Protein backbone atom coordinates (compact mmCIF):
# COMPACT_ATOMS: atom_id res chain seq x y z
CA UNK A 1 0.00 0.00 0.00
CA UNK A 2 1.13 3.49 -0.76
CA UNK A 3 2.07 5.86 2.03
CA UNK A 4 -0.75 8.34 2.77
CA UNK A 5 -0.57 11.91 1.50
CA UNK A 6 -1.91 13.28 4.75
CA UNK A 7 -1.69 11.42 8.01
CA UNK A 8 -3.65 12.36 11.11
CA UNK A 9 -3.05 9.94 13.97
CA UNK A 10 -4.23 10.09 17.58
CA UNK A 11 -4.86 13.83 17.39
CA UNK A 12 -6.29 15.63 20.42
CA UNK A 13 -7.26 19.25 20.82
CA UNK A 14 -8.74 21.26 23.71
CA UNK A 15 -9.54 24.92 24.18
CA UNK A 16 -9.00 26.85 27.40
CA UNK A 17 -7.31 25.80 30.60
CA UNK A 18 -8.24 24.52 34.06
CA UNK A 19 -11.92 24.18 34.87
CA UNK A 20 -13.01 25.87 31.66
CA UNK A 21 -11.04 23.46 29.51
CA UNK A 22 -13.19 21.85 26.82
CA UNK A 23 -12.13 18.99 24.66
CA UNK A 24 -12.97 19.72 21.02
CA UNK A 25 -11.24 16.84 19.23
CA UNK A 26 -10.58 13.38 20.65
CA UNK A 27 -8.33 10.75 19.12
CA UNK A 28 -8.74 11.67 15.47
CA UNK A 29 -7.28 9.10 13.08
CA UNK A 30 -7.58 9.83 9.38
CA UNK A 31 -5.35 9.13 6.40
CA UNK A 32 -5.88 10.72 3.00
CA UNK A 33 -4.48 8.85 -0.01
CA UNK A 34 -2.84 10.69 -2.84
CA UNK A 35 -5.47 12.38 -5.05
CA UNK A 36 -8.27 11.43 -2.73
CA UNK A 37 -11.22 13.76 -2.14
CA UNK A 38 -12.42 13.47 1.46
CA UNK A 39 -15.26 15.43 3.05
CA UNK A 40 -15.77 16.06 6.76
CA UNK A 41 -19.42 16.36 7.71
CA UNK A 42 -21.17 16.72 11.04
CA UNK A 43 -23.38 18.96 13.09
CA UNK A 44 -22.04 22.33 14.16
CA UNK A 45 -19.66 22.09 17.09
CA UNK A 46 -18.23 18.73 16.00
CA UNK A 47 -14.85 20.33 15.42
CA UNK A 48 -14.66 19.73 11.66
CA UNK A 49 -13.53 23.29 10.92
CA UNK A 50 -11.07 23.17 13.82
CA UNK A 51 -9.59 19.97 12.41
CA UNK A 52 -9.16 21.60 8.99
CA UNK A 53 -7.61 24.65 10.59
CA UNK A 54 -5.15 22.41 12.45
CA UNK A 55 -4.19 20.67 9.21
CA UNK A 56 -3.69 24.12 7.65
CA UNK A 57 -1.29 24.89 10.49
CA UNK A 58 -3.36 27.83 11.68
CA UNK A 59 -4.11 26.22 15.05
CA UNK A 60 -2.08 24.11 17.48
CA UNK A 61 -3.03 20.69 18.72
CA UNK A 62 -2.29 19.04 22.06
CA UNK A 63 -1.21 15.56 21.13
CA UNK A 64 -0.96 13.24 18.17
CA UNK A 65 0.76 13.00 14.84
CA UNK A 66 0.15 15.15 11.79
CA UNK A 67 2.19 14.85 8.63
CA UNK A 68 2.06 15.48 4.91
CA UNK A 69 4.14 13.18 2.70
CA UNK A 70 5.78 11.94 5.88
CA UNK A 71 6.96 15.40 6.97
CA UNK A 72 5.38 16.69 10.20
CA UNK A 73 3.14 19.75 9.92
CA UNK A 74 4.48 22.43 12.26
CA UNK A 75 3.16 25.64 10.72
CA UNK A 76 1.14 26.93 7.75
CA UNK A 77 2.83 26.48 4.43
CA UNK A 78 2.62 26.59 0.66
CA UNK A 79 2.26 22.80 0.46
CA UNK A 80 -1.36 23.21 1.60
CA UNK A 81 -3.66 25.56 -0.32
CA UNK A 82 -6.52 26.87 1.80
CA UNK A 83 -9.90 28.13 0.61
CA UNK A 84 -11.81 29.97 3.35
CA UNK A 85 -15.57 30.39 3.47
CA UNK A 86 -15.13 34.17 3.59
CA UNK A 87 -13.49 34.39 0.12
CA UNK A 88 -10.48 36.37 1.49
CA UNK A 89 -9.82 38.24 -1.73
CA UNK A 90 -7.79 41.35 -0.97
CA UNK A 91 -10.10 44.21 -1.96
CA UNK A 92 -7.40 46.53 -3.28
CA UNK A 93 -6.19 43.98 -5.85
CA UNK A 94 -7.91 42.80 -9.04
CA UNK A 95 -8.79 39.13 -9.55
CA UNK A 96 -5.55 38.59 -11.48
CA UNK A 97 -3.46 40.53 -8.95
CA UNK A 98 -4.94 38.46 -6.11
CA UNK A 99 -3.58 35.32 -7.74
CA UNK A 100 -0.28 37.01 -8.55
CA UNK A 101 -0.02 38.01 -4.89
CA UNK A 102 0.02 34.33 -3.91
CA UNK A 103 2.41 33.41 -6.70
CA UNK A 104 4.87 36.11 -5.67
CA UNK A 105 4.67 34.92 -2.06
CA UNK A 106 5.42 31.41 -3.35
CA UNK A 107 8.56 32.77 -4.98
CA UNK A 108 7.50 32.53 -8.60
CA UNK A 109 9.33 34.64 -11.12
CA UNK A 110 7.58 37.97 -11.66
CA UNK A 111 7.38 37.45 -15.41
CA UNK A 112 5.75 34.04 -14.99
CA UNK A 113 3.14 35.24 -12.47
CA UNK A 114 0.89 36.99 -14.97
CA UNK A 115 0.73 34.03 -17.29
CA UNK A 116 0.07 31.50 -14.53
CA UNK A 117 -2.58 33.77 -13.01
CA UNK A 118 -4.44 34.11 -16.31
CA UNK A 119 -4.18 30.38 -16.90
CA UNK A 120 -5.86 29.68 -13.57
CA UNK A 121 -8.54 32.30 -14.09
CA UNK A 122 -9.28 30.48 -17.31
CA UNK A 123 -9.52 27.23 -15.34
CA UNK A 124 -12.35 28.68 -13.23
CA UNK A 125 -13.87 30.36 -16.32
CA UNK A 126 -13.15 33.91 -15.22
CA UNK A 127 -10.74 35.11 -17.92
CA UNK A 128 -13.12 37.94 -18.76
CA UNK A 129 -13.00 39.28 -15.19
CA UNK A 130 -9.23 39.27 -14.70
CA UNK A 131 -9.02 43.02 -14.21
CA UNK A 132 -12.09 43.45 -12.04
CA UNK A 133 -11.88 44.22 -8.34
CA UNK A 134 -13.53 41.93 -5.76
CA UNK A 135 -16.22 44.56 -5.09
CA UNK A 136 -17.29 44.10 -8.71
CA UNK A 137 -17.58 40.30 -8.44
CA UNK A 138 -20.44 38.15 -7.15
CA UNK A 139 -19.92 35.75 -4.23
CA UNK A 140 -19.56 32.78 -6.56
CA UNK A 141 -17.04 34.60 -8.74
CA UNK A 142 -15.01 35.63 -5.69
CA UNK A 143 -14.85 32.05 -4.50
CA UNK A 144 -13.77 30.91 -7.98
CA UNK A 145 -10.89 33.38 -7.83
CA UNK A 146 -10.00 32.08 -4.36
CA UNK A 147 -9.96 28.50 -5.67
CA UNK A 148 -7.85 29.55 -8.66
CA UNK A 149 -5.47 31.29 -6.27
CA UNK A 150 -5.15 28.25 -4.01
CA UNK A 151 -4.46 26.00 -7.01
CA UNK A 152 -2.09 28.41 -8.76
CA UNK A 153 1.02 27.73 -6.69
CA UNK A 154 0.61 23.96 -6.95
CA UNK A 155 0.13 22.91 -3.32
CA UNK A 156 0.33 19.22 -2.44
CA UNK A 157 -3.23 19.35 -1.21
CA UNK A 158 -6.23 21.62 -0.97
CA UNK A 159 -8.08 22.41 2.26
CA UNK A 160 -11.56 23.86 1.83
CA UNK A 161 -13.61 25.13 4.77
CA UNK A 162 -17.28 25.30 3.75
CA UNK A 163 -16.25 27.17 0.62
CA UNK A 164 -19.77 27.32 -0.82
CA UNK A 165 -21.59 27.82 2.47
CA UNK A 166 -22.31 31.50 1.86
CA UNK A 167 -23.61 31.06 -1.70
CA UNK A 168 -27.20 30.75 -2.88
CA UNK A 169 -28.43 27.29 -3.91
CA UNK A 170 -28.11 27.78 -7.67
CA UNK A 171 -24.61 29.22 -7.52
CA UNK A 172 -23.58 26.50 -5.08
CA UNK A 173 -24.64 23.84 -7.60
CA UNK A 174 -22.66 25.52 -10.35
CA UNK A 175 -19.60 25.72 -8.10
CA UNK A 176 -19.90 22.05 -7.18
CA UNK A 177 -20.01 21.09 -10.84
CA UNK A 178 -17.04 23.29 -11.63
CA UNK A 179 -15.02 21.90 -8.74
CA UNK A 180 -15.81 18.30 -9.74
CA UNK A 181 -14.76 19.02 -13.31
CA UNK A 182 -11.49 20.62 -12.24
CA UNK A 183 -10.79 17.87 -9.77
CA UNK A 184 -11.52 15.08 -12.26
CA UNK A 185 -9.21 16.66 -14.80
CA UNK A 186 -6.35 17.67 -12.56
CA UNK A 187 -6.56 15.35 -9.55
CA UNK A 188 -5.44 16.62 -6.20
CA UNK A 189 -5.74 15.56 -2.59
CA UNK A 190 -8.61 17.53 -1.06
CA UNK A 191 -9.92 17.81 2.48
CA UNK A 192 -13.33 19.43 2.29
CA UNK A 193 -15.48 20.62 5.21
CA UNK A 194 -19.20 21.03 4.61
CA UNK A 195 -22.55 20.70 6.32
CA UNK A 196 -24.28 19.98 3.02
CA UNK A 197 -24.60 16.19 2.67
CA UNK A 198 -25.63 16.29 -0.99
CA UNK A 199 -22.53 18.34 -1.73
CA UNK A 200 -20.35 15.88 0.16
CA UNK A 201 -21.74 12.85 -1.70
CA UNK A 202 -21.45 14.56 -5.06
CA UNK A 203 -17.85 15.66 -4.62
CA UNK A 204 -16.16 13.05 -2.45
CA UNK A 205 -14.44 9.70 -2.67
CA UNK A 206 -14.93 9.28 1.04
CA UNK A 207 -17.14 10.96 3.63
CA UNK A 208 -16.12 11.18 7.27
CA UNK A 209 -18.96 11.75 9.75
CA UNK A 210 -17.96 13.50 12.96
CA UNK A 211 -19.86 13.52 16.24
CA UNK A 212 -19.98 15.93 19.15
CA UNK A 213 -19.05 15.95 22.82
CA UNK A 214 -16.08 15.83 22.15
CA UNK A 215 -15.56 15.96 18.40
CA UNK A 216 -14.48 12.62 16.99
CA UNK A 217 -14.88 10.44 13.96
CA UNK A 218 -18.00 8.29 14.13
CA UNK A 219 -18.34 6.71 10.71
CA UNK A 220 -16.76 6.67 7.30
CA UNK A 221 -18.57 6.15 3.99
CA UNK A 222 -16.89 5.22 0.73
CA UNK A 223 -18.64 6.89 -2.17
CA UNK A 224 -18.69 4.27 -4.89
CA UNK A 225 -20.42 6.45 -7.46
CA UNK A 226 -18.61 6.39 -10.77
CA UNK A 227 -16.77 9.31 -12.23
CA UNK A 228 -17.00 11.49 -14.17
CA UNK A 229 -20.00 12.70 -12.20
CA UNK A 230 -22.46 15.11 -13.71
CA UNK A 231 -25.46 16.75 -12.10
CA UNK A 232 -27.80 13.93 -13.22
CA UNK A 233 -26.05 11.55 -10.85
CA UNK A 234 -27.81 13.24 -7.95
CA UNK A 235 -31.10 11.68 -9.06
CA UNK A 236 -29.87 8.07 -9.14
CA UNK A 237 -31.05 5.69 -6.39
CA UNK A 238 -27.46 4.93 -5.34
CA UNK A 239 -26.80 8.62 -4.75
CA UNK A 240 -29.99 9.19 -2.81
CA UNK A 241 -29.53 6.06 -0.70
CA UNK A 242 -26.06 7.13 0.32
CA UNK A 243 -27.25 10.65 1.02
CA UNK A 244 -29.94 9.25 3.32
CA UNK A 245 -27.46 6.98 5.11
CA UNK A 246 -25.06 9.84 5.73
CA UNK A 247 -27.88 12.01 7.04
CA UNK A 248 -28.87 9.24 9.41
CA UNK A 249 -25.31 8.79 10.59
CA UNK A 250 -25.00 12.52 11.28
CA UNK A 251 -28.22 12.46 13.30
CA UNK A 252 -26.98 9.55 15.38
CA UNK A 253 -23.56 11.12 15.80
CA UNK A 254 -25.13 14.34 17.06
CA UNK A 255 -26.66 12.71 20.10
CA UNK A 256 -24.66 13.50 23.19
CA UNK A 257 -22.99 10.32 24.43
CA UNK A 258 -23.75 8.94 27.91
CA UNK A 259 -21.03 9.90 30.31
CA UNK A 260 -18.88 6.83 30.83
CA UNK B 1 -47.13 66.08 1.21
CA UNK B 2 -44.60 63.36 0.69
CA UNK B 3 -47.22 60.68 0.43
CA UNK B 4 -48.24 61.97 -3.00
CA UNK B 5 -44.76 61.43 -4.38
CA UNK B 6 -43.82 57.93 -3.29
CA UNK B 7 -42.37 57.08 -6.70
CA UNK B 8 -39.74 59.78 -6.39
CA UNK B 9 -37.26 57.35 -4.98
CA UNK B 10 -33.96 58.52 -3.58
CA UNK B 11 -30.47 57.39 -4.61
CA UNK B 12 -31.02 54.01 -2.99
CA UNK B 13 -34.54 52.88 -3.86
CA UNK B 14 -35.40 49.86 -1.77
CA UNK B 15 -38.13 48.56 -4.04
CA UNK B 16 -39.47 49.13 -7.55
CA UNK B 17 -42.33 51.58 -7.95
CA UNK B 18 -45.09 50.33 -5.70
CA UNK B 19 -48.61 49.48 -6.73
CA UNK B 20 -50.76 52.60 -6.76
CA UNK B 21 -53.18 51.47 -4.08
CA UNK B 22 -50.40 50.59 -1.64
CA UNK B 23 -48.42 53.72 -2.36
CA UNK B 24 -50.68 56.09 -0.50
CA UNK B 25 -50.28 54.04 2.63
CA UNK B 26 -46.50 53.86 2.51
CA UNK B 27 -44.80 55.43 5.50
CA UNK B 28 -42.80 58.56 4.83
CA UNK B 29 -41.35 58.93 8.31
CA UNK B 30 -40.27 56.69 11.16
CA UNK B 31 -37.06 54.96 12.20
CA UNK B 32 -34.85 54.17 9.24
CA UNK B 33 -37.41 55.07 6.57
CA UNK B 34 -35.42 56.53 3.66
CA UNK B 35 -36.13 59.95 2.21
CA UNK B 36 -35.09 61.23 -1.21
CA UNK B 37 -31.84 63.10 -1.66
CA UNK B 38 -33.59 66.24 -2.82
CA UNK B 39 -35.84 66.20 0.22
CA UNK B 40 -32.80 65.75 2.49
CA UNK B 41 -31.04 68.71 0.87
CA UNK B 42 -34.16 70.83 1.04
CA UNK B 43 -34.52 70.29 4.80
CA UNK B 44 -30.81 70.93 5.41
CA UNK B 45 -30.80 74.18 3.43
CA UNK B 46 -34.02 75.31 5.08
CA UNK B 47 -32.40 75.03 8.53
CA UNK B 48 -29.45 77.18 7.45
CA UNK B 49 -31.70 79.75 5.81
CA UNK B 50 -34.00 79.82 8.84
CA UNK B 51 -31.13 80.45 11.25
CA UNK B 52 -29.69 83.12 8.93
CA UNK B 53 -33.07 84.86 8.76
CA UNK B 54 -33.41 84.75 12.54
CA UNK B 55 -29.97 86.33 12.87
CA UNK B 56 -30.82 88.98 10.29
CA UNK B 57 -34.13 89.77 11.98
CA UNK B 58 -32.67 89.88 15.50
CA UNK B 59 -30.08 92.45 14.46
CA UNK B 60 -32.19 94.31 11.89
CA UNK B 61 -34.98 95.01 14.35
CA UNK B 62 -32.37 95.70 17.07
CA UNK B 63 -33.70 93.07 19.43
CA UNK B 64 -30.07 92.63 20.54
CA UNK B 65 -27.31 95.19 20.77
CA UNK B 66 -24.66 95.08 17.98
CA UNK B 67 -21.93 94.70 20.58
CA UNK B 68 -23.39 91.29 21.47
CA UNK B 69 -24.52 90.27 18.02
CA UNK B 70 -23.59 92.36 14.96
CA UNK B 71 -25.62 92.09 11.77
CA UNK B 72 -24.69 89.63 8.99
CA UNK B 73 -23.81 92.60 6.81
CA UNK B 74 -21.44 94.03 9.39
CA UNK B 75 -19.68 90.67 9.78
CA UNK B 76 -19.33 90.27 6.01
CA UNK B 77 -17.98 93.78 5.63
CA UNK B 78 -15.44 93.28 8.41
CA UNK B 79 -14.17 89.99 6.91
CA UNK B 80 -13.91 91.67 3.50
CA UNK B 81 -11.92 94.51 5.05
CA UNK B 82 -9.51 92.12 6.82
CA UNK B 83 -9.17 90.14 3.62
CA UNK B 84 -8.18 93.19 1.57
CA UNK B 85 -5.70 94.61 4.08
CA UNK B 86 -3.91 91.25 4.31
CA UNK B 87 -4.64 90.52 7.96
CA UNK B 88 -6.81 87.53 7.15
CA UNK B 89 -4.20 85.97 4.89
CA UNK B 90 -1.47 86.31 7.54
CA UNK B 91 -3.73 84.79 10.19
CA UNK B 92 -4.64 81.93 7.87
CA UNK B 93 -1.01 81.28 6.97
CA UNK B 94 0.09 81.13 10.60
CA UNK B 95 -2.78 78.82 11.58
CA UNK B 96 -2.59 76.47 8.61
CA UNK B 97 1.16 76.12 9.08
CA UNK B 98 0.69 75.17 12.75
CA UNK B 99 -2.12 72.70 12.18
CA UNK B 100 -0.25 71.06 9.30
CA UNK B 101 2.93 70.45 11.27
CA UNK B 102 1.18 69.48 14.50
CA UNK B 103 -1.21 67.13 12.76
CA UNK B 104 1.46 65.54 10.55
CA UNK B 105 3.69 64.91 13.57
CA UNK B 106 0.85 63.28 15.48
CA UNK B 107 -0.21 61.16 12.50
CA UNK B 108 3.33 60.11 11.56
CA UNK B 109 3.79 58.68 15.04
CA UNK B 110 0.29 57.40 15.75
CA UNK B 111 -0.06 55.28 12.60
CA UNK B 112 2.99 53.02 13.13
CA UNK B 113 2.31 52.77 16.87
CA UNK B 114 -1.38 52.03 16.28
CA UNK B 115 -0.51 49.32 13.74
CA UNK B 116 1.97 47.82 16.18
CA UNK B 117 -0.39 47.65 19.16
CA UNK B 118 -3.27 46.54 16.96
CA UNK B 119 -1.21 43.57 15.75
CA UNK B 120 0.88 42.43 18.69
CA UNK B 121 -0.64 41.75 22.09
CA UNK B 122 2.62 42.39 23.93
CA UNK B 123 2.84 45.91 22.50
CA UNK B 124 -0.83 46.43 23.21
CA UNK B 125 -0.26 45.55 26.86
CA UNK B 126 2.70 47.93 27.04
CA UNK B 127 1.08 50.92 25.35
CA UNK B 128 -2.71 50.74 25.22
CA UNK B 129 -3.52 51.19 28.94
CA UNK B 130 -1.05 54.08 29.17
CA UNK B 131 -2.51 55.85 26.14
CA UNK B 132 -6.01 55.19 27.41
CA UNK B 133 -5.03 56.88 30.69
CA UNK B 134 -3.41 59.90 29.09
CA UNK B 135 -6.25 60.56 26.67
CA UNK B 136 -8.60 61.21 29.58
CA UNK B 137 -6.37 64.03 30.81
CA UNK B 138 -7.97 67.24 29.50
CA UNK B 139 -5.90 68.87 26.80
CA UNK B 140 -6.82 72.28 28.20
CA UNK B 141 -5.00 71.40 31.41
CA UNK B 142 -1.79 70.94 29.44
CA UNK B 143 -1.81 74.51 28.12
CA UNK B 144 0.00 76.13 31.08
CA UNK B 145 2.49 73.30 31.13
CA UNK B 146 3.08 73.55 27.38
CA UNK B 147 3.83 77.27 27.73
CA UNK B 148 6.24 76.52 30.55
CA UNK B 149 7.98 73.90 28.42
CA UNK B 150 7.88 75.44 24.98
CA UNK B 151 7.18 79.16 25.39
CA UNK B 152 4.53 80.89 23.30
CA UNK B 153 5.95 80.20 19.84
CA UNK B 154 4.93 77.69 17.19
CA UNK B 155 6.41 74.75 19.12
CA UNK B 156 3.83 75.19 21.85
CA UNK B 157 1.04 75.11 19.23
CA UNK B 158 2.47 71.91 17.75
CA UNK B 159 2.61 70.44 21.23
CA UNK B 160 -1.03 71.19 22.06
CA UNK B 161 -2.27 69.89 18.69
CA UNK B 162 -0.11 66.81 19.19
CA UNK B 163 -1.39 66.09 22.71
CA UNK B 164 -4.96 66.63 21.55
CA UNK B 165 -4.83 64.31 18.54
CA UNK B 166 -2.04 61.74 18.96
CA UNK B 167 -3.50 59.75 21.84
CA UNK B 168 -6.93 59.53 20.24
CA UNK B 169 -5.40 58.57 16.90
CA UNK B 170 -3.33 55.75 18.36
CA UNK B 171 -6.39 54.05 19.81
CA UNK B 172 -8.46 54.56 16.68
CA UNK B 173 -5.72 53.21 14.39
CA UNK B 174 -5.38 50.23 16.72
CA UNK B 175 -9.08 49.63 16.28
CA UNK B 176 -8.81 49.97 12.48
CA UNK B 177 -6.08 47.34 12.47
CA UNK B 178 -8.05 44.99 14.69
CA UNK B 179 -10.90 45.08 12.22
CA UNK B 180 -8.78 43.45 9.52
CA UNK B 181 -10.49 40.07 8.96
CA UNK B 182 -8.69 37.23 10.74
CA UNK B 183 -8.90 35.16 7.56
CA UNK B 184 -6.80 37.77 5.71
CA UNK B 185 -4.01 37.12 8.19
CA UNK B 186 -4.70 33.38 7.89
CA UNK B 187 -4.30 33.73 4.13
CA UNK B 188 -0.93 35.42 4.57
CA UNK B 189 0.20 32.67 6.90
CA UNK B 190 -0.91 29.86 4.59
CA UNK B 191 1.11 31.58 1.86
CA UNK B 192 4.11 31.25 4.13
CA UNK B 193 4.60 35.00 4.56
CA UNK B 194 6.61 36.15 7.58
CA UNK B 195 4.87 38.49 10.08
CA UNK B 196 6.66 41.56 8.73
CA UNK B 197 5.30 40.98 5.24
CA UNK B 198 1.83 40.12 6.52
CA UNK B 199 1.87 43.52 8.23
CA UNK B 200 3.09 45.54 5.25
CA UNK B 201 1.30 43.68 2.46
CA UNK B 202 -1.97 42.62 4.08
CA UNK B 203 -2.72 44.31 7.41
CA UNK B 204 -1.76 47.90 6.56
CA UNK B 205 -3.33 48.03 3.08
CA UNK B 206 -6.44 46.39 4.48
CA UNK B 207 -6.72 48.88 7.37
CA UNK B 208 -5.86 51.88 5.21
CA UNK B 209 -9.41 53.04 4.39
CA UNK B 210 -10.19 52.93 8.12
CA UNK B 211 -6.96 54.74 9.01
CA UNK B 212 -7.82 57.43 6.47
CA UNK B 213 -11.17 57.89 8.16
CA UNK B 214 -9.40 58.20 11.52
CA UNK B 215 -7.20 60.94 10.07
CA UNK B 216 -10.24 62.75 8.68
CA UNK B 217 -12.04 62.70 12.03
CA UNK B 218 -8.98 63.68 14.08
CA UNK B 219 -8.16 66.52 11.70
CA UNK B 220 -11.50 68.04 12.67
CA UNK B 221 -10.49 67.94 16.32
CA UNK B 222 -7.05 69.37 15.53
CA UNK B 223 -8.74 72.65 14.46
CA UNK B 224 -10.20 72.96 17.93
CA UNK B 225 -6.85 72.44 19.65
CA UNK B 226 -5.15 74.88 17.31
CA UNK B 227 -7.58 77.64 18.15
CA UNK B 228 -7.36 76.84 21.84
CA UNK B 229 -3.57 77.18 21.77
CA UNK B 230 -3.80 80.42 19.83
CA UNK B 231 -6.44 81.90 22.12
CA UNK B 232 -4.26 81.51 25.17
CA UNK B 233 -0.84 82.57 23.98
CA UNK B 234 -0.01 83.75 20.48
CA UNK B 235 0.97 86.74 18.41
CA UNK B 236 -0.65 85.59 15.19
CA UNK B 237 -3.23 83.19 13.84
CA UNK B 238 -7.01 82.92 13.71
CA UNK B 239 -7.37 82.25 17.43
CA UNK B 240 -5.12 85.17 18.31
CA UNK B 241 -7.26 87.54 16.18
CA UNK B 242 -10.36 86.41 18.05
CA UNK B 243 -8.77 87.21 21.43
CA UNK B 244 -7.54 90.62 20.27
CA UNK B 245 -10.95 91.46 18.83
CA UNK B 246 -12.56 90.72 22.16
CA UNK B 247 -10.35 93.37 23.76
CA UNK B 248 -11.64 96.00 21.31
CA UNK B 249 -15.25 94.77 21.31
CA UNK B 250 -15.01 93.84 17.61
CA UNK B 251 -17.75 91.29 17.84
CA UNK B 252 -18.10 91.23 14.07
CA UNK B 253 -14.51 89.97 13.68
CA UNK B 254 -15.07 87.29 16.33
CA UNK B 255 -18.21 85.99 14.71
CA UNK B 256 -16.70 86.21 11.23
CA UNK B 257 -13.66 84.20 12.32
CA UNK B 258 -15.77 81.58 14.11
CA UNK B 259 -17.83 81.09 10.96
CA UNK B 260 -14.62 80.95 8.93
CA UNK B 261 -13.21 78.26 11.22
CA UNK B 262 -16.39 76.26 10.79
CA UNK B 263 -16.05 76.51 7.03
CA UNK B 264 -12.36 75.55 7.09
CA UNK B 265 -13.23 72.46 9.12
CA UNK B 266 -16.03 71.59 6.72
CA UNK B 267 -13.80 72.09 3.67
CA UNK B 268 -10.95 69.93 4.99
CA UNK B 269 -13.48 67.24 5.89
CA UNK B 270 -14.99 67.29 2.41
CA UNK B 271 -11.53 67.23 0.80
CA UNK B 272 -10.56 64.20 2.90
CA UNK B 273 -13.83 62.49 1.98
CA UNK B 274 -13.30 63.19 -1.72
CA UNK B 275 -9.74 61.85 -1.55
CA UNK B 276 -11.03 58.77 0.24
CA UNK B 277 -13.36 58.07 -2.66
CA UNK B 278 -10.50 58.42 -5.15
CA UNK B 279 -7.89 56.50 -3.14
CA UNK B 280 -10.10 53.58 -2.20
CA UNK B 281 -12.58 53.61 -5.09
CA UNK B 282 -11.99 49.95 -5.96
CA UNK B 283 -12.89 48.78 -2.47
CA UNK B 284 -16.58 49.43 -2.86
CA UNK B 285 -18.54 51.07 -0.11
CA UNK B 286 -17.96 48.50 2.59
CA UNK B 287 -16.13 50.95 4.83
Amino acid sequence: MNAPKLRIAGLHKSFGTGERRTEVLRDINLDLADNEFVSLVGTSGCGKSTLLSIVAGLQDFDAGELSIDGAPILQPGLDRGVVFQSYTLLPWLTARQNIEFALKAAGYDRSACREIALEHLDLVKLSHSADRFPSELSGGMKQRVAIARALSYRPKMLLMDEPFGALDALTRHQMQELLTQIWEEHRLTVLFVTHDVEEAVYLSDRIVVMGIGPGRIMRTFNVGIERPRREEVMETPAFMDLQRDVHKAIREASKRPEMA
Amino acid sequence: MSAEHPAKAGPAPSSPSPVAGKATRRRSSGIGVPISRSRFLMIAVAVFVGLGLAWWAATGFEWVKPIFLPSPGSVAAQIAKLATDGTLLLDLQASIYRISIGFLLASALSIPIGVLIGSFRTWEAAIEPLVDFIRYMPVVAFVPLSILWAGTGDTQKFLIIFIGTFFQQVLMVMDNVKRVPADFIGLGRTLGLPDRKILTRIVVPSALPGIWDTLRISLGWAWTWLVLAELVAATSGLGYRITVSQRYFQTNTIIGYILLLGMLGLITDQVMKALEKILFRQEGHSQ
Side-chain angles (χ1 to χ4, degrees), chain B residues 6-15 26 33-41 277 285:
Chain B
K8 244 189 187 171
S14 51
S15 59
R26 207 172 79 164
V33 175
I35 59 171
S36 72
R37 189 170 175 79
S38 55
R39 188 172 170 77
F40 188 97
L41 270 174
K277 272 192 186 147
H285 296 285

Side-chain angles (χ1 to χ4, degrees), chain A residues 4 8 15 27 65 77 111 120 125 140 160-161 180 184 202 232 260:
Chain A
I8 307 171
F15 285 132
D27 194 26
E65 190 200 329
S111 53
H120 283 82
K125 302 183 170 59
M160 307 180 87
D161 187 7
T180 304
E184 283 169 358
Y202 182 58
E232 299 80 60

Side-chain angles (χ1 to χ4, degrees), chain A residues 7-8 12 20 27 39 49 82 111 125 129 134 143 154 165 169 180 201-202 211 218 222 224-227 242 245 247:
Chain A
R7 154 149 270 178
I8 307 171
H12 288 263
R20 311 189 61 180
D27 194 26
S39 288
S49 285
V82 182
S111 53
K125 302 183 170 59
S129 295
Q143 202 55 297
R154 307 240 165 263
T180 304
V201 175
Y202 182 58
M218 306 296 277
N222 285 310
I225 297 163
E226 264 182 44
R227 292 182 186 272
L242 183 57
D245 291 348
H247 261 301

Side-chain angles (χ1 to χ4, degrees), chain A residues 56-58 76-78 80 82 84-86 88-93 101-102 105-106 133 135 149 153, chain B residues 181 183-193 197 201-207 281-285:
Chain A
L58 294 171
L78 289 158
R80 285 148 288 148
V82 182
F84 302 87
Q85 185 184 352
S86 60
T88 63
L89 295 192
L90 303 175
W92 60 95
L93 299 176
F101 182 89
F133 287 98
S135 60
R149 179 176 61 189
Y153 51 91
Chain B
D183 281 350
F184 278 17
I185 294 153
L187 169 77
R189 295 182 62 203
T190 61
L191 293 173
L193 292 175
K197 283 192 177 172
R201 294 194 189 171
I202 294 180
V203 173
V204 172
S206 181
R281 65 186 176 282
Q282 72 274 29
E283 306 201 14
H285 296 285

